[in-house]
Amino acid sequence: MPTRSILTGIGGYLPEKIVTNDELAARVDTSDQWIRERTGIRQRHLAGPHETAAFMGTKAAQAALADAGAGPDDVDVILVATSTPDQAFPATALRIQAALGVTKGFGFDLAAACAGFIYALSVADGMIRVGQARGVLVIGSEVYSRIMNWQDRTTCVLFGDGAGAVFLQAGEGEGNDARGVLSTHLHAQGTLGDILYVDGAVGRHDLPGTLVMNGKEVFRQAVTRLAGAVDEALAANGLVYNDIDWLVPHQANLRIIEAMGKRLSLPPERVVITVDRHANTSAASVPLALAEAYADGRIKRGDLVLMEALGGGLTWGSALVRM
Ligand code: ACO
């Protein structure tokens, strides 16, 4: 029987502080109505000073390990998808390794913006399949509030902070009905780097580094690229739209999410939506949405879940998982 990556635990963490659209409208020239109508967002969680990517990622990882009934000794590798690490180095993954009490294996951060969790899941799946690791924590943790231009109403209303994590463990299985990661597909198009980027980093002391986005172009790219990714995932596994139990999409904009649900002919109640309460938490959005729908009992063992995301880079991809 071939080795397969089984998703054995899921967890999430959201900062305590909630900021409503009305509260934002007191700081920039916007309104609850504009934000809700264009994006579906009603509120977002924003990190306090102690709620860093490492802090939130640790909380999400602890929840995922507890859900799996696993402990530090079961963790071989920690992968953190983040564009907002605590430090240039050590990697956020290693701060989390220390906080969890994991004393073996290795870990690193991976930057693929909002598609980061799908990228990290793909890397983790590969490591398990080739026998390099038996237990991999895959974490998306982001504090975009720290890279926002809080004077720019076209971007600052769209994002929130948080972390989500899954624990993948080596198991055995064959075919679409057996538990585990059935496939991942990754894509990138560097020539589209200027439609969504952060204009600085620690290597650029001349620039502070805040997020810049051509929203209309990102929207246009998201609808077409994600539709292609969804079709690609199904075709690769010999599946059709009807076989999907749940769509867990990146949570950037309700209109993009609804368009994807319609394309898959999924009834709205089979599409997990958190963007209304979390806003866009970038690499944390997919695992946070998965954690919520799993914790409240909507997503169950045996369900077929399709995840997809697109982010700055341009990066995008999909993961198909039998829970
Ligand atoms: N409040 C009030 N008015 C606003 C706001 C605001 N917060 N922001 C923009 N406006 C105004 C604009 O100035 C413009 O006014 P004008 O017509 O007088 O010039 C008007 O509203 C329309 O602006 P548009 O940018 O055309 O609005 P659009 O309908 O395109 O919606 C949005 C903007 C919500 C950003 C949309 O384009 C979108 O969701 N894009 C996709 C974003 C996305 O998917 N990102 C995912 C990746 S994120 C990552 O990887 C980090």
Side-chain angles (χ1 to χ4, degrees), residues 130-179:
V130 300
Q132 196 177 10
R134 293 196 61 79
V136 184
L137 267 171
V138 183
I139 304 165
S141 188
E142 301 277 24
V143 273
Y144 268 45
S145 59
R146 314 257 211 262
I147 54 165
M148 278 303 122
N149 173 355
W150 287 101
Q151 269 73 54
D152 179 7
R153 67 175 183 173
T154 68
T155 53
C156 75
V157 303
L158 303 174
F159 293 90
D161 301 327
V166 300
F167 191 46
L168 289 184
Q169 289 184 280
E172 288 183 342
E174 207 163 14
N176 293 336
D177 293 333
R179 288 186 72 199

mmCIF file of all heavy atoms in Angstrom, residues 130-179:
data_model
loop_
_atom_site.group_PDB
_atom_site.id
_atom_site.type_symbol
_atom_site.label_atom_id
_atom_site.label_comp_id
_atom_site.label_asym_id
_atom_site.label_seq_id
_atom_site.Cartn_x
_atom_site.Cartn_y
_atom_site.Cartn_z
ATOM 1 N N VAL A 130 7.642 10.561 0.320
ATOM 2 C CA VAL A 130 8.967 9.975 0.040
ATOM 3 C C VAL A 130 9.630 9.407 1.297
ATOM 4 O O VAL A 130 10.750 8.909 1.239
ATOM 5 C CB VAL A 130 9.934 10.981 -0.645
ATOM 6 C CG1 VAL A 130 9.369 11.461 -1.959
ATOM 7 C CG2 VAL A 130 10.292 12.147 0.269
ATOM 8 N N GLY A 131 8.965 9.527 2.441
ATOM 9 C CA GLY A 131 9.507 8.918 3.663
ATOM 10 C C GLY A 131 10.475 9.804 4.426
ATOM 11 O O GLY A 131 11.166 9.345 5.330
ATOM 12 N N GLN A 132 10.510 11.115 4.090
ATOM 13 C CA GLN A 132 11.425 12.027 4.786
ATOM 14 C C GLN A 132 10.904 12.401 6.179
ATOM 15 O O GLN A 132 11.660 12.797 7.047
ATOM 16 C CB GLN A 132 11.592 13.297 3.938
ATOM 17 C CG GLN A 132 12.763 14.160 4.317
ATOM 18 C CD GLN A 132 12.917 15.360 3.386
ATOM 19 O OE1 GLN A 132 12.045 15.646 2.570
ATOM 20 N NE2 GLN A 132 14.032 16.053 3.502
ATOM 21 N N ALA A 133 9.600 12.304 6.356
ATOM 22 C CA ALA A 133 8.986 12.666 7.639
ATOM 23 C C ALA A 133 7.728 11.838 7.835
ATOM 24 O O ALA A 133 7.101 11.395 6.866
ATOM 25 C CB ALA A 133 8.626 14.147 7.636
ATOM 26 N N ARG A 134 7.344 11.659 9.123
ATOM 27 C CA ARG A 134 6.098 10.928 9.402
ATOM 28 C C ARG A 134 5.035 11.826 10.034
ATOM 29 O O ARG A 134 3.853 11.524 9.997
ATOM 30 C CB ARG A 134 6.368 9.727 10.322
ATOM 31 C CG ARG A 134 7.204 8.650 9.638
ATOM 32 C CD ARG A 134 7.152 7.327 10.387
ATOM 33 N NE ARG A 134 5.811 6.761 10.484
ATOM 34 C CZ ARG A 134 5.192 6.100 9.508
ATOM 35 N NH1 ARG A 134 5.808 5.893 8.359
ATOM 36 N NH2 ARG A 134 3.987 5.613 9.687
ATOM 37 N N GLY A 135 5.494 12.953 10.618
ATOM 38 C CA GLY A 135 4.541 13.892 11.210
ATOM 39 C C GLY A 135 4.937 15.316 10.860
ATOM 40 O O GLY A 135 6.032 15.756 11.203
ATOM 41 N N VAL A 136 4.085 16.039 10.136
ATOM 42 C CA VAL A 136 4.422 17.403 9.713
ATOM 43 C C VAL A 136 3.318 18.367 10.137
ATOM 44 O O VAL A 136 2.147 18.157 9.817
ATOM 45 C CB VAL A 136 4.615 17.497 8.174
ATOM 46 C CG1 VAL A 136 5.059 18.906 7.790
ATOM 47 C CG2 VAL A 136 5.614 16.471 7.676
ATOM 48 N N LEU A 137 3.723 19.408 10.865
ATOM 49 C CA LEU A 137 2.799 20.488 11.197
ATOM 50 C C LEU A 137 2.839 21.503 10.060
ATOM 51 O O LEU A 137 3.916 22.002 9.712
ATOM 52 C CB LEU A 137 3.234 21.182 12.485
ATOM 53 C CG LEU A 137 2.644 20.686 13.794
ATOM 54 C CD1 LEU A 137 3.365 21.341 14.967
ATOM 55 C CD2 LEU A 137 1.139 20.936 13.877
ATOM 56 N N VAL A 138 1.686 21.799 9.500
ATOM 57 C CA VAL A 138 1.595 22.801 8.428
ATOM 58 C C VAL A 138 0.778 23.971 8.973
ATOM 59 O O VAL A 138 -0.393 23.807 9.322
ATOM 60 C CB VAL A 138 0.910 22.221 7.168
ATOM 61 C CG1 VAL A 138 0.905 23.257 6.047
ATOM 62 C CG2 VAL A 138 1.610 20.951 6.721
ATOM 63 N N ILE A 139 1.425 25.120 9.059
ATOM 64 C CA ILE A 139 0.812 26.272 9.738
ATOM 65 C C ILE A 139 0.766 27.469 8.795
ATOM 66 O O ILE A 139 1.728 27.747 8.080
ATOM 67 C CB ILE A 139 1.660 26.655 10.985
ATOM 68 C CG1 ILE A 139 1.816 25.448 11.924
ATOM 69 C CG2 ILE A 139 1.045 27.845 11.721
ATOM 70 C CD1 ILE A 139 2.910 25.621 12.975
ATOM 71 N N GLY A 140 -0.354 28.172 8.790
ATOM 72 C CA GLY A 140 -0.428 29.482 8.135
ATOM 73 C C GLY A 140 -0.653 30.505 9.227
ATOM 74 O O GLY A 140 -1.603 30.371 10.010
ATOM 75 N N SER A 141 0.228 31.497 9.343
ATOM 76 C CA SER A 141 0.091 32.478 10.429
ATOM 77 C C SER A 141 0.464 33.859 9.904
ATOM 78 O O SER A 141 1.560 34.040 9.364
ATOM 79 C CB SER A 141 0.990 32.079 11.607
ATOM 80 O OG SER A 141 0.719 32.913 12.726
ATOM 81 N N GLU A 142 -0.434 34.812 10.068
ATOM 82 C CA GLU A 142 -0.206 36.123 9.442
ATOM 83 C C GLU A 142 -0.676 37.275 10.321
ATOM 84 O O GLU A 142 -1.737 37.202 10.948
ATOM 85 C CB GLU A 142 -0.986 36.223 8.121
ATOM 86 C CG GLU A 142 -0.630 35.179 7.082
ATOM 87 C CD GLU A 142 0.604 35.520 6.249
ATOM 88 O OE1 GLU A 142 1.465 36.301 6.695
ATOM 89 O OE2 GLU A 142 0.689 34.983 5.128
ATOM 90 N N VAL A 143 0.124 38.337 10.320
ATOM 91 C CA VAL A 143 -0.263 39.600 10.968
ATOM 92 C C VAL A 143 -0.176 40.709 9.919
ATOM 93 O O VAL A 143 0.700 41.563 9.966
ATOM 94 C CB VAL A 143 0.608 39.938 12.209
ATOM 95 C CG1 VAL A 143 0.046 39.302 13.453
ATOM 96 C CG2 VAL A 143 2.052 39.547 12.010
ATOM 97 N N TYR A 144 -1.099 40.678 8.962
ATOM 98 C CA TYR A 144 -1.091 41.683 7.887
ATOM 99 C C TYR A 144 -1.347 43.089 8.422
ATOM 100 O O TYR A 144 -1.032 44.067 7.750
ATOM 101 C CB TYR A 144 -2.104 41.315 6.795
ATOM 102 C CG TYR A 144 -1.494 40.487 5.680
ATOM 103 C CD1 TYR A 144 -0.667 39.418 5.974
ATOM 104 C CD2 TYR A 144 -1.745 40.782 4.337
ATOM 105 C CE1 TYR A 144 -0.096 38.663 4.967
ATOM 106 C CE2 TYR A 144 -1.169 40.033 3.325
ATOM 107 C CZ TYR A 144 -0.350 38.971 3.638
ATOM 108 O OH TYR A 144 0.226 38.227 2.638
ATOM 109 N N SER A 145 -1.924 43.175 9.637
ATOM 110 C CA SER A 145 -2.153 44.515 10.202
ATOM 111 C C SER A 145 -0.834 45.279 10.331
ATOM 112 O O SER A 145 -0.825 46.508 10.311
ATOM 113 C CB SER A 145 -2.838 44.416 11.563
ATOM 114 O OG SER A 145 -2.052 43.665 12.464
ATOM 115 N N ARG A 146 0.285 44.548 10.424
ATOM 116 C CA ARG A 146 1.593 45.205 10.572
ATOM 117 C C ARG A 146 2.159 45.692 9.227
ATOM 118 O O ARG A 146 3.123 46.450 9.206
ATOM 119 C CB ARG A 146 2.611 44.238 11.185
ATOM 120 C CG ARG A 146 2.110 43.473 12.388
ATOM 121 C CD ARG A 146 2.629 44.008 13.711
ATOM 122 N NE ARG A 146 2.749 42.941 14.683
ATOM 123 C CZ ARG A 146 1.836 42.659 15.622
ATOM 124 N NH1 ARG A 146 0.723 43.364 15.721
ATOM 125 N NH2 ARG A 146 2.038 41.654 16.464
ATOM 126 N N ILE A 147 1.595 45.213 8.114
ATOM 127 C CA ILE A 147 2.104 45.672 6.806
ATOM 128 C C ILE A 147 1.035 46.436 6.025
ATOM 129 O O ILE A 147 1.119 46.580 4.808
ATOM 130 C CB ILE A 147 2.664 44.502 5.942
ATOM 131 C CG1 ILE A 147 1.626 43.380 5.767
ATOM 132 C CG2 ILE A 147 3.963 43.966 6.525
ATOM 133 C CD1 ILE A 147 1.956 42.394 4.652
ATOM 134 N N MET A 148 0.022 46.902 6.749
ATOM 135 C CA MET A 148 -1.017 47.707 6.107
ATOM 136 C C MET A 148 -0.614 49.171 6.083
ATOM 137 O O MET A 148 0.000 49.675 7.032
ATOM 138 C CB MET A 148 -2.326 47.623 6.910
ATOM 139 C CG MET A 148 -3.158 46.417 6.635
ATOM 140 S SD MET A 148 -3.567 46.316 4.907
ATOM 141 C CE MET A 148 -2.866 44.730 4.529
ATOM 142 N N ASN A 149 -0.987 49.840 5.019
ATOM 143 C CA ASN A 149 -0.965 51.298 5.010
ATOM 144 C C ASN A 149 -2.340 51.716 5.535
ATOM 145 O O ASN A 149 -3.335 51.642 4.801
ATOM 146 C CB ASN A 149 -0.725 51.809 3.586
ATOM 147 C CG ASN A 149 -0.865 53.316 3.501
ATOM 148 O OD1 ASN A 149 -1.236 53.980 4.481
ATOM 149 N ND2 ASN A 149 -0.570 53.865 2.342
ATOM 150 N N TRP A 150 -2.401 52.108 6.797
ATOM 151 C CA TRP A 150 -3.696 52.380 7.438
ATOM 152 C C TRP A 150 -4.342 53.676 6.942
ATOM 153 O O TRP A 150 -5.429 54.029 7.357
ATOM 154 C CB TRP A 150 -3.565 52.340 8.964
ATOM 155 C CG TRP A 150 -3.408 50.912 9.429
ATOM 156 C CD1 TRP A 150 -2.252 50.289 9.791
ATOM 157 C CD2 TRP A 150 -4.445 49.921 9.523
ATOM 158 N NE1 TRP A 150 -2.504 48.969 10.105
ATOM 159 C CE2 TRP A 150 -3.846 48.717 9.954
ATOM 160 C CE3 TRP A 150 -5.833 49.924 9.284
ATOM 161 C CZ2 TRP A 150 -4.561 47.539 10.155
ATOM 162 C CZ3 TRP A 150 -6.549 48.751 9.484
ATOM 163 C CH2 TRP A 150 -5.918 47.583 9.913
ATOM 164 N N GLN A 151 -3.665 54.360 6.015
ATOM 165 C CA GLN A 151 -4.280 55.530 5.359
ATOM 166 C C GLN A 151 -4.904 55.133 4.022
ATOM 167 O O GLN A 151 -5.612 55.922 3.401
ATOM 168 C CB GLN A 151 -3.236 56.630 5.092
ATOM 169 C CG GLN A 151 -3.093 57.646 6.230
ATOM 170 C CD GLN A 151 -2.372 57.048 7.428
ATOM 171 O OE1 GLN A 151 -1.281 56.522 7.281
ATOM 172 N NE2 GLN A 151 -2.992 57.113 8.594
ATOM 173 N N ASP A 152 -4.605 53.916 3.550
ATOM 174 C CA ASP A 152 -5.083 53.493 2.227
ATOM 175 C C ASP A 152 -6.376 52.683 2.373
ATOM 176 O O ASP A 152 -6.351 51.493 2.671
ATOM 177 C CB ASP A 152 -3.991 52.655 1.537
ATOM 178 C CG ASP A 152 -4.435 52.155 0.167
ATOM 179 O OD1 ASP A 152 -5.528 52.554 -0.310
ATOM 180 O OD2 ASP A 152 -3.683 51.342 -0.422
ATOM 181 N N ARG A 153 -7.505 53.343 2.106
ATOM 182 C CA ARG A 153 -8.799 52.682 2.299
ATOM 183 C C ARG A 153 -9.031 51.537 1.308
ATOM 184 O O ARG A 153 -9.874 50.676 1.525
ATOM 185 C CB ARG A 153 -9.935 53.699 2.171
ATOM 186 C CG ARG A 153 -10.098 54.271 0.772
ATOM 187 C CD ARG A 153 -11.294 55.179 0.667
ATOM 188 N NE ARG A 153 -11.460 55.651 -0.712
ATOM 189 C CZ ARG A 153 -12.490 56.350 -1.125
ATOM 190 N NH1 ARG A 153 -13.434 56.688 -0.281
ATOM 191 N NH2 ARG A 153 -12.573 56.729 -2.390
ATOM 192 N N THR A 154 -8.280 51.546 0.188
ATOM 193 C CA THR A 154 -8.507 50.494 -0.814
ATOM 194 C C THR A 154 -7.921 49.142 -0.380
ATOM 195 O O THR A 154 -8.228 48.121 -0.962
ATOM 196 C CB THR A 154 -7.918 50.881 -2.196
ATOM 197 O OG1 THR A 154 -6.492 50.900 -2.106
ATOM 198 C CG2 THR A 154 -8.426 52.237 -2.660
ATOM 199 N N THR A 155 -7.022 49.154 0.628
ATOM 200 C CA THR A 155 -6.456 47.874 1.105
ATOM 201 C C THR A 155 -6.716 47.601 2.592
ATOM 202 O O THR A 155 -6.969 46.456 2.965
ATOM 203 C CB THR A 155 -4.921 47.826 0.881
ATOM 204 O OG1 THR A 155 -4.334 49.001 1.465
ATOM 205 C CG2 THR A 155 -4.571 47.751 -0.591
ATOM 206 N N CYS A 156 -6.685 48.640 3.435
ATOM 207 C CA CYS A 156 -6.678 48.367 4.886
ATOM 208 C C CYS A 156 -7.991 47.776 5.393
ATOM 209 O O CYS A 156 -8.014 47.169 6.459
ATOM 210 C CB CYS A 156 -6.293 49.604 5.683
ATOM 211 S SG CYS A 156 -7.572 50.865 5.811
ATOM 212 N N VAL A 157 -9.064 47.910 4.627
ATOM 213 C CA VAL A 157 -10.354 47.351 5.072
ATOM 214 C C VAL A 157 -10.458 45.854 4.776
ATOM 215 O O VAL A 157 -11.399 45.194 5.227
ATOM 216 C CB VAL A 157 -11.547 48.095 4.398
ATOM 217 C CG1 VAL A 157 -11.483 49.582 4.692
ATOM 218 C CG2 VAL A 157 -11.582 47.851 2.892
ATOM 219 N N LEU A 158 -9.510 45.315 3.998
ATOM 220 C CA LEU A 158 -9.678 43.961 3.446
ATOM 221 C C LEU A 158 -9.057 42.849 4.292
ATOM 222 O O LEU A 158 -9.382 41.678 4.099
ATOM 223 C CB LEU A 158 -9.052 43.889 2.045
ATOM 224 C CG LEU A 158 -9.573 44.889 1.007
ATOM 225 C CD1 LEU A 158 -8.750 44.773 -0.276
ATOM 226 C CD2 LEU A 158 -11.050 44.642 0.717
ATOM 227 N N PHE A 159 -8.130 43.206 5.195
ATOM 228 C CA PHE A 159 -7.314 42.160 5.822
ATOM 229 C C PHE A 159 -7.525 42.038 7.332
ATOM 230 O O PHE A 159 -7.945 42.986 7.995
ATOM 231 C CB PHE A 159 -5.830 42.420 5.523
ATOM 232 C CG PHE A 159 -5.495 42.263 4.066
ATOM 233 C CD1 PHE A 159 -5.579 43.350 3.206
ATOM 234 C CD2 PHE A 159 -5.140 41.033 3.545
ATOM 235 C CE1 PHE A 159 -5.296 43.208 1.852
ATOM 236 C CE2 PHE A 159 -4.861 40.877 2.192
ATOM 237 C CZ PHE A 159 -4.938 41.971 1.341
ATOM 238 N N GLY A 160 -7.222 40.838 7.846
ATOM 239 C CA GLY A 160 -7.279 40.580 9.276
ATOM 240 C C GLY A 160 -6.103 39.689 9.658
ATOM 241 O O GLY A 160 -5.315 39.268 8.798
ATOM 242 N N ASP A 161 -5.968 39.382 10.953
ATOM 243 C CA ASP A 161 -4.859 38.564 11.452
ATOM 244 C C ASP A 161 -5.379 37.226 11.991
ATOM 245 O O ASP A 161 -6.540 37.133 12.429
ATOM 246 C CB ASP A 161 -4.144 39.302 12.590
ATOM 247 C CG ASP A 161 -3.599 40.659 12.158
ATOM 248 O OD1 ASP A 161 -3.203 40.785 10.982
ATOM 249 O OD2 ASP A 161 -3.580 41.582 12.995
ATOM 250 N N GLY A 162 -4.515 36.216 12.018
ATOM 251 C CA GLY A 162 -4.909 34.926 12.593
ATOM 252 C C GLY A 162 -3.944 33.824 12.178
ATOM 253 O O GLY A 162 -2.972 34.070 11.452
ATOM 254 N N ALA A 163 -4.226 32.623 12.664
ATOM 255 C CA ALA A 163 -3.394 31.466 12.335
ATOM 256 C C ALA A 163 -4.243 30.201 12.283
ATOM 257 O O ALA A 163 -5.217 30.064 13.029
ATOM 258 C CB ALA A 163 -2.282 31.293 13.376
ATOM 259 N N GLY A 164 -3.863 29.295 11.395
ATOM 260 C CA GLY A 164 -4.520 27.989 11.315
ATOM 261 C C GLY A 164 -3.454 26.932 11.106
ATOM 262 O O GLY A 164 -2.373 27.230 10.570
ATOM 263 N N ALA A 165 -3.734 25.713 11.541
ATOM 264 C CA ALA A 165 -2.725 24.653 11.422
ATOM 265 C C ALA A 165 -3.383 23.299 11.201
ATOM 266 O O ALA A 165 -4.509 23.063 11.667
ATOM 267 C CB ALA A 165 -1.879 24.592 12.698
ATOM 268 N N VAL A 166 -2.676 22.456 10.480
ATOM 269 C CA VAL A 166 -3.097 21.047 10.387
ATOM 270 C C VAL A 166 -1.894 20.171 10.717
ATOM 271 O O VAL A 166 -0.744 20.581 10.544
ATOM 272 C CB VAL A 166 -3.644 20.668 8.985
ATOM 273 C CG1 VAL A 166 -4.851 21.507 8.616
ATOM 274 C CG2 VAL A 166 -2.576 20.740 7.904
ATOM 275 N N PHE A 167 -2.180 18.961 11.221
ATOM 276 C CA PHE A 167 -1.119 17.979 11.460
ATOM 277 C C PHE A 167 -1.316 16.858 10.461
ATOM 278 O O PHE A 167 -2.404 16.290 10.368
ATOM 279 C CB PHE A 167 -1.183 17.464 12.893
ATOM 280 C CG PHE A 167 0.032 16.665 13.286
ATOM 281 C CD1 PHE A 167 1.312 17.121 12.990
ATOM 282 C CD2 PHE A 167 -0.094 15.457 13.965
ATOM 283 C CE1 PHE A 167 2.446 16.388 13.346
ATOM 284 C CE2 PHE A 167 1.034 14.729 14.334
ATOM 285 C CZ PHE A 167 2.300 15.199 14.024
ATOM 286 N N LEU A 168 -0.269 16.607 9.672
ATOM 287 C CA LEU A 168 -0.306 15.522 8.684
ATOM 288 C C LEU A 168 0.548 14.371 9.199
ATOM 289 O O LEU A 168 1.679 14.590 9.635
ATOM 290 C CB LEU A 168 0.285 15.988 7.347
ATOM 291 C CG LEU A 168 -0.484 16.983 6.491
ATOM 292 C CD1 LEU A 168 0.276 17.212 5.174
ATOM 293 C CD2 LEU A 168 -1.894 16.490 6.184
ATOM 294 N N GLN A 169 -0.001 13.162 9.127
ATOM 295 C CA GLN A 169 0.763 11.996 9.571
ATOM 296 C C GLN A 169 0.779 10.914 8.499
ATOM 297 O O GLN A 169 -0.207 10.741 7.766
ATOM 298 C CB GLN A 169 0.158 11.435 10.867
ATOM 299 C CG GLN A 169 0.399 12.353 12.053
ATOM 300 C CD GLN A 169 -0.094 11.770 13.364
ATOM 301 O OE1 GLN A 169 -1.272 11.823 13.668
ATOM 302 N NE2 GLN A 169 0.827 11.211 14.147
ATOM 303 N N ALA A 170 1.888 10.223 8.431
ATOM 304 C CA ALA A 170 2.028 9.161 7.435
ATOM 305 C C ALA A 170 1.055 8.023 7.739
ATOM 306 O O ALA A 170 0.903 7.607 8.884
ATOM 307 C CB ALA A 170 3.467 8.639 7.433
ATOM 308 N N GLY A 171 0.387 7.579 6.693
ATOM 309 C CA GLY A 171 -0.496 6.420 6.800
ATOM 310 C C GLY A 171 -0.447 5.675 5.479
ATOM 311 O O GLY A 171 0.448 5.925 4.658
ATOM 312 N N GLU A 172 -1.395 4.790 5.295
ATOM 313 C CA GLU A 172 -1.418 4.053 4.029
ATOM 314 C C GLU A 172 -2.781 4.198 3.393
ATOM 315 O O GLU A 172 -3.793 4.293 4.102
ATOM 316 C CB GLU A 172 -1.117 2.571 4.278
ATOM 317 C CG GLU A 172 0.333 2.321 4.628
ATOM 318 C CD GLU A 172 0.614 0.840 4.808
ATOM 319 O OE1 GLU A 172 -0.349 0.066 4.998
ATOM 320 O OE2 GLU A 172 1.790 0.464 4.746
ATOM 321 N N GLY A 173 -2.812 4.191 2.078
ATOM 322 C CA GLY A 173 -4.110 4.286 1.411
ATOM 323 C C GLY A 173 -3.943 4.343 -0.089
ATOM 324 O O GLY A 173 -2.888 4.728 -0.609
ATOM 325 N N GLU A 174 -4.994 3.969 -0.779
ATOM 326 C CA GLU A 174 -4.973 3.969 -2.239
ATOM 327 C C GLU A 174 -6.363 4.335 -2.749
ATOM 328 O O GLU A 174 -7.365 3.920 -2.154
ATOM 329 C CB GLU A 174 -4.580 2.566 -2.728
ATOM 330 C CG GLU A 174 -3.907 2.587 -4.072
ATOM 331 C CD GLU A 174 -3.163 1.270 -4.349
ATOM 332 O OE1 GLU A 174 -3.400 0.279 -3.622
ATOM 333 O OE2 GLU A 174 -2.375 1.256 -5.293
ATOM 334 N N GLY A 175 -6.419 5.119 -3.806
ATOM 335 C CA GLY A 175 -7.717 5.462 -4.388
ATOM 336 C C GLY A 175 -8.343 6.676 -3.741
ATOM 337 O O GLY A 175 -7.908 7.149 -2.696
ATOM 338 N N ASN A 176 -9.418 7.170 -4.385
ATOM 339 C CA ASN A 176 -10.053 8.417 -3.942
ATOM 340 C C ASN A 176 -10.858 8.282 -2.660
ATOM 341 O O ASN A 176 -11.198 9.287 -2.039
ATOM 342 C CB ASN A 176 -10.986 8.948 -5.032
ATOM 343 C CG ASN A 176 -10.212 9.403 -6.252
ATOM 344 O OD1 ASN A 176 -9.036 9.731 -6.128
ATOM 345 N ND2 ASN A 176 -10.854 9.412 -7.414
ATOM 346 N N ASP A 177 -11.190 7.049 -2.280
ATOM 347 C CA ASP A 177 -12.035 6.881 -1.088
ATOM 348 C C ASP A 177 -11.225 6.743 0.198
ATOM 349 O O ASP A 177 -11.784 6.838 1.288
ATOM 350 C CB ASP A 177 -12.941 5.653 -1.250
ATOM 351 C CG ASP A 177 -13.964 5.867 -2.357
ATOM 352 O OD1 ASP A 177 -14.297 7.047 -2.605
ATOM 353 O OD2 ASP A 177 -14.397 4.878 -2.969
ATOM 354 N N ALA A 178 -9.930 6.506 0.073
ATOM 355 C CA ALA A 178 -9.092 6.355 1.274
ATOM 356 C C ALA A 178 -8.719 7.734 1.810
ATOM 357 O O ALA A 178 -8.538 8.679 1.047
ATOM 358 C CB ALA A 178 -7.834 5.565 0.939
ATOM 359 N N ARG A 179 -8.612 7.835 3.137
ATOM 360 C CA ARG A 179 -8.275 9.121 3.760
ATOM 361 C C ARG A 179 -6.912 9.623 3.296
ATOM 362 O O ARG A 179 -6.028 8.832 2.992
ATOM 363 C CB ARG A 179 -8.230 8.971 5.286
ATOM 364 C CG ARG A 179 -9.563 8.790 5.938
ATOM 365 C CD ARG A 179 -9.402 8.802 7.449
ATOM 366 N NE ARG A 179 -9.110 10.148 7.949
ATOM 367 C CZ ARG A 179 -8.571 10.407 9.137
ATOM 368 N NH1 ARG A 179 -8.238 9.427 9.939
ATOM 369 N NH2 ARG A 179 -8.365 11.640 9.516
#
